[in-house]
Amino acid sequence: MQSILKIIQKLLDGRLPWRLSQAFAKYHVEFLRRYYDRVVDKTPPMITGKDDLHFEIHLLLGSRHVGMCLWAVKSLLDAAGKKYAVVLHDDGSLSDKDIEKLERHLIGVRVFRKPDADRLIAERIAGFPHVEMYRFNQLGKTEWGRRMSIFSLKLLDFNLLTNARKVLVLDTDVLFFKRPDLIVTWIEDVDSGDSLYCHEYYQPILNANRNVIGFERKKEIPIGFNSGLICLDHDALNLSVFELWLEKNRERVDRVYTFEQHAYNHLVDCSNRHGALPESYSFNYNDTNCIATHFGIKLFFFNNLERVRRALARKLP
């Protein structure tokens, strides 16, 4: 395994033609994905749903992300030392085998199959026409815009198909390396009403082949936050506010990949009770001080899984 990775990395570090470099990079990531999808089966199962019952962790995933989801959730539960409730939302591609694997690794997990979620959410958003169109892939005018509406589940289903007071919105490419004390404190303070989020403090440095070779801190702190990790108070989702925002911004669903993230920013900002987590809860960037990182660049996610694997291995009998 390690010898193969070294060969691939040497190829990626060289001045290859752009198309060849990108092909190798894509193969490299897919090779790592398949490898760690098998490795995660050797990690111990974890019990969920026993701590802080007013709080839940929610993730959206498809069949391709089952392994990543398990690494993300297990890294959080292990780092926090908790048995938090975990709720998973099917993007429509999860198989029975996928769900069996998720339930075997996360004991007590709840999984919403897409058809069931469609039926349940329809009742909760009735009377909000633009919200309904967004959730059911009808807001966009292009095929791409309608397809990207799948991310509406992160916003609507996470917060409406739950009785929890607080929800951790989590992407499957987030890893935790240390105890997230600020998040644990937020969870335990039931009456705070605040929401917390992460800014994208760093930007990638590219080599001649446009491969990422490092990161540098941005000169200015970004205005908006990243939606890969949000500590969300339930009251932040105001359907009336969201309906008006969608009506004014509906054309952006056809051209903005981060449309759901922009919506989250607007809703949290309107709640007037929110704040940023420190840069130790980062996006892409990772060092010895980082508590959690949202790895938008998937190669970095897989390159950091050995740290999580070693932590989880200590739990084996």
Side-chain angles (χ1 to χ4, degrees), residues 201-219:
Y201 290 101
Y202 292 87
Q203 60 189 13
I205 301 172
L206 307 178
N207 65 10
N209 284 324
R210 298 196 63 77
N211 295 315
V212 179
I213 59 174
F215 288 88
E216 60 184 0
R217 202 177 193 284
K218 295 178 180 178
K219 294 180 180 179

Side-chain angles (χ1 to χ4, degrees), residues 33-43 45 63 66-68 70-71 74 88 95-107 109 111:
R33 180 193 302 275
R34 293 180 181 181
Y35 174 75
Y36 281 108
D37 281 356
R38 296 191 300 271
V39 172
V40 78
D41 279 326
K42 300 177 182 178
T43 61
S63 185
V66 170
M68 294 176 66
L70 291 173
W71 286 112
K74 287 189 174 187
L88 306 178
S95 66
D96 291 341
K97 185 177 180 180
D98 292 331
I99 293 177
E100 184 278 328
K101 180 172 180 172
L102 292 164
E103 292 177 338
R104 173 163 40 88
H105 278 274
L106 302 174
I107 300 169
V109 69
V111 181

Side-chain angles (χ1 to χ4, degrees), residues 108-292:
V109 69
R110 185 179 185 188
V111 181
F112 279 105
R113 299 299 292 261
K114 182 67 162 49
D116 296 330
D118 289 347
R119 175 177 51 81
L120 291 169
I121 202 70
E123 303 172 1
R124 290 162 173 76
I125 61 177
F128 298 94
H130 289 87
V131 174
E132 290 182 273
M133 285 190 289
Y134 180 44
R135 174 55 177 77
F136 291 103
N137 311 323
Q138 298 171 350
L139 191 66
K141 295 182 178 179
T142 66
E143 181 181 352
W144 182 86
R146 290 188 290 271
R147 187 170 68 251
M148 296 306 292
S149 289
I150 189 64
F151 293 113
S152 66
L153 276 69
K154 278 185 60 178
L155 200 156
L156 295 166
D157 294 33
F158 283 21
N159 296 291
L160 296 177
L161 300 183
T162 179
N163 292 319
R165 174 66 194 176
K166 297 187 175 190
V167 166
L168 179 63
V169 176
L170 193 66
D171 279 2
T172 58
D173 50 3
V174 178
L175 294 175
F176 288 77
F177 304 104
K178 297 181 180 180
R179 191 174 191 271
D181 290 326
L182 290 175
I183 293 179
V184 172
T185 298
W186 171 80
I187 293 168
E188 294 176 350
D189 186 1
V190 182
D191 300 321
S192 69
D194 294 332
S195 295
L196 304 174
Y197 43 76
C198 302
H199 286 305
E200 298 180 15
Y201 290 101
Y202 292 87
Q203 60 189 13
I205 301 172
L206 307 178
N207 65 10
N209 284 324
R210 298 196 63 77
N211 295 315
V212 179
I213 59 174
F215 288 88
E216 60 184 0
R217 202 177 193 284
K218 295 178 180 178
K219 294 180 180 179
E220 296 182 0
I221 297 176
I223 296 175
F225 60 80
N226 184 277
S227 64
L229 191 164
I230 312 173
C231 302
L232 196 74
D233 181 81
H234 190 267
D235 289 344
L237 178 58
N238 184 316
L239 286 177
S240 296
V241 171
F242 191 34
E243 173 72 16
L244 291 174
W245 186 86
L246 285 174
E247 185 177 4
K248 294 178 181 178
N249 294 274
R250 61 175 301 172
E251 77 285 349
R252 296 170 63 191
V253 76
D254 289 309
R255 55 185 174 84
V256 179
Y257 177 79
T258 53
F259 183 79
E260 158 267 328
Q261 180 169 291
H262 290 192
Y264 255 130
N265 271 261
H266 178 73
L267 289 166
V268 170
D269 187 58
C270 287
S271 72
N272 294 319
R273 299 193 64 175
H274 55 84
L277 290 162
E279 61 184 274
S280 52
Y281 297 81
S282 190
F283 179 75
N284 278 325
Y285 181 74
N286 186 264
D287 61 19
T288 56
N289 296 317
C290 281
I291 295 170

